Structures are given as structure tokens and as C-alpha cells.
């Protein structure tokens, strides 16, 4: 059996589409269709945009979805197909796309609107995400419980037994970073622009739910 697991925000990097477009040139036709549909210069985002520009959640989400889709189509062309699909957060849309539940056009429209809804909260929410490694899960839970009394912070992802993602207010994450360092662990800020999967995103969640309905 074979499973494809698609990435979410934080996996983007400058030039992320160069390799796939070099080995799958017909992918440019998909990108052209996408650009005509949503009016974004996706070719630029995949080939030339600097990392700081890609960090903008609208650019991030469209770029990651598009790159994931191109790799999926390339593998499909070479008769490599999954038995199961899954995704991390944004990657769930890529999973739905690859399984045929959503079309590429539907996925792009949904992801762009999802990102635009999130962008409305730029400047209103001072926060982010970070991965904590080399510390047992129970200790991370204890830290989150302790610092949640001082502000908003939550566990937003269990990537593995030794890598937990936390999201929350910027000032609280700084305090957790100090505590992690004292415990000889690693605190790795993620390349995301908002505290995704935390209570701070509740209003954005409600607004996007209204769009879906």
C-alpha cells in the first residue's frame, strides 16, 4: 500500500516549483489555467518569489497547493498512485484534490478565500507557531498548561512523539522558548504568519465557515 501525505504552510521556500516544472513542463498549462482563474502570478511565486513574500498566507497557500498538485500529476503520469491520502492542515485540500473530491479550480478558490479570510486578521493578532523537539510530549503539555494561564497558547500539531507544534501569542511563545532551552530542547519558529490552529483564529474560522455554507 502507498500513502501520499501533503504538506501545509511552513513548507514553502523560494524556487519551490523549479524542479517539478523542469521535469513536468506540461505543468505550466495547469499553472496558466490557475492564473486565469484567480488572477495571481503563480509562476512568479513558484519560481522567483523571495521567502519573505511567500510567507504572506495568500501566497503561501496558493503556492503550496499548486506545487503539491503538480507533483501529484507528475507521479500520476508515471503510474504512481496512492491508496490513501492525507494532509497537514492546508495539505488536506491537496489530499481532497488528489482523491477527486475537489477539482483544481475548486481547490484554488477555496484556498484563496481561506487565506484572504486569515489575512483580515494581520496586525490584529500578534502570534505565530513553533516546533518543539527533544522534549517529551507530557513536558510540552505541562509547559502549554502553565503558560496558557498568562496568555493564549495551544498545542496545534503532534508531528511525532518528539516533535510538537505550538501556536499562540508572540510574547507567550518567547517565554516557552526560554523554558524549552532550559530543558535542553529545541524551539524552532515556523515560517507562518499567524498562530494557526489556536483559539486566536476562532473569528477567522467562523467567517470562513460562513463562506463554505
Amino acid at each position: 500500500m502507498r500513502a501520499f501525505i501533503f504538506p501545509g504552510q511552513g513548507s514553502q521556500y523560494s524556487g519551490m516549483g523549479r524542479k517539478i516544472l523542469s521535469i513536468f513542463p506540461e505543468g505550466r498549462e495547469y499553472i496558466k489555467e490557475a492564473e486565469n482563474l484567480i488572477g495571481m502570478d503563480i509562476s512568479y511565486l513558484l519560481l522567483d518569489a523571495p521567502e519573505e513574500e511567500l510567507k504572506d498566507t495568500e501566497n503561501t497557500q496558493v503556492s503550496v497547493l499548486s506545487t503539491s498538485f503538480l507533483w501529484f500529476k507528475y507521479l500520476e503520469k508515471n503510474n504512481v498512485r496512492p491508496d490513501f491520502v492525507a494532509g497537514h492542515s492546508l495539505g488536506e485540500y491537496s489530499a481532497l484534490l488528489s482523491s477527486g473530491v475537489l477539482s483544481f479550480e475548486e481547490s484554488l478558490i477555496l484556498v484563496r478565500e481561506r487565506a484572504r479570510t486569515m489575512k483580515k486578521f494581520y496586525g490584529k493578532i500578534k502570534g505565530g507557531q513553533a516546533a518543539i523537539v527533544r522534549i517529551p510530549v507530557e513536558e510540552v503539555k505541562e509547559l502549554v498548561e502553565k503558560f496558557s494561564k498568562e496568555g493564549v497558547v495551544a498545542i496545534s500539531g503532534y508531528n511525532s512523539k518528539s516533535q510538537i507544534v505550538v501556536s499562540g501569542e508572540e510574547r507567550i511563545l518567547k517565554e516557552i522558548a526560554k523554558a524549552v532551552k532550559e530543558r535542553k530542547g529545541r524551539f524552532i519558529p515556523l515560517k507562518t504568519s499567524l498562530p494557526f490552529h489556536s483559539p486566536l483564529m476562532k473569528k477567522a474560522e467562523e467567517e470562513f465557515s460562513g463562506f463554505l455554507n
Side-chain angles (χ1 to χ4, degrees):
M1 290 189 179
R2 178 184 292 119
F4 288 178
I5 301 177
F6 295 95
Q9 296 192 80
S11 61
Q12 74 278 0
Y13 59 91
S14 184
M16 62 193 291
R18 286 178 190 162
K19 183 172 182 179
I20 183 59
L21 287 173
S22 69
I23 61 176
F24 185 56
E26 51 264 62
R28 294 181 183 275
E29 290 303 313
Y30 290 111
I31 296 305
K32 189 180 295 183
E33 290 176 17
E35 290 176 335
N36 290 335
L37 178 68
I38 63 174
M40 292 177 66
D41 191 348
I42 301 174
S43 296
Y44 166 72
L45 293 175
L46 298 189
L47 299 173
D48 301 310
E51 290 209 12
E52 191 58 35
E53 197 168 341
L54 286 173
K55 193 175 178 181
D56 179 304
T57 190
E58 188 170 356
N59 293 337
T60 302
Q61 297 196 46
V62 169
S63 298
V64 172
L65 175 79
S66 298
T67 304
S68 295
F69 176 66
L70 292 179
W71 276 107
F72 172 75
K73 296 303 289 185
Y74 169 75
L75 292 171
E76 184 180 58
K77 177 186 175 183
N78 288 279
N79 297 313
V80 180
R81 296 181 175 85
D83 299 294
F84 302 96
V85 292
H88 288 274
S89 188
L90 167 65
E92 293 175 354
Y93 288 87
S94 300
L96 290 169
L97 169 56
S98 66
S99 62
V101 174
L102 295 174
S103 68
F104 187 37
E105 292 77 11
E106 290 169 331
S107 302
L108 283 166
I109 291 169
L110 287 172
V111 162
R112 183 186 61 174
E113 186 61 31
R114 180 179 187 259
R116 285 181 169 179
T117 301
M118 291 174 173
K119 282 181 72 171
K120 291 180 182 179
F121 296 89
Y122 275 6
K124 299 177 183 178
I125 302 174
K126 296 289 186 181
Q129 292 181 288
I132 297 175
V133 297
R134 298 178 186 166
I135 290 183
V137 174
E138 291 307 315
E139 284 192 37
V140 176
K141 287 181 178 179
E142 289 173 7
L143 286 174
V144 168
E145 183 178 357
K146 174 185 175 182
F147 287 101
S148 63
K149 296 173 183 176
E150 301 176 21
V152 179
V153 66
I155 291 177
S156 55
Y158 292 87
N159 288 348
S160 72
K161 291 181 179 179
S162 59
Q163 186 184 100
I164 309 299
V165 177
V166 294
S167 301
E169 292 179 80
E170 194 174 274
R171 63 184 183 86
I172 300 299
L173 291 181
K174 287 180 179 179
E175 293 302 314
I176 291 179
K178 293 176 186 176
V180 168
K181 188 175 181 180
E182 290 171 359
R183 289 167 170 75
K184 309 300 181 184
R186 290 187 64 201
F187 184 91
I188 308 169
L190 301 186
K191 295 184 290 184
T192 54
S193 51
L194 286 167
F196 301 115
H197 305 292
S198 78
L200 292 169
M201 300 302 296
K202 186 65 178 176
K203 289 185 178 179
E205 176 191 339
E206 291 171 351
E207 188 167 328
F208 185 58
S209 294
F211 173 79
L212 291 176
N213 293 331

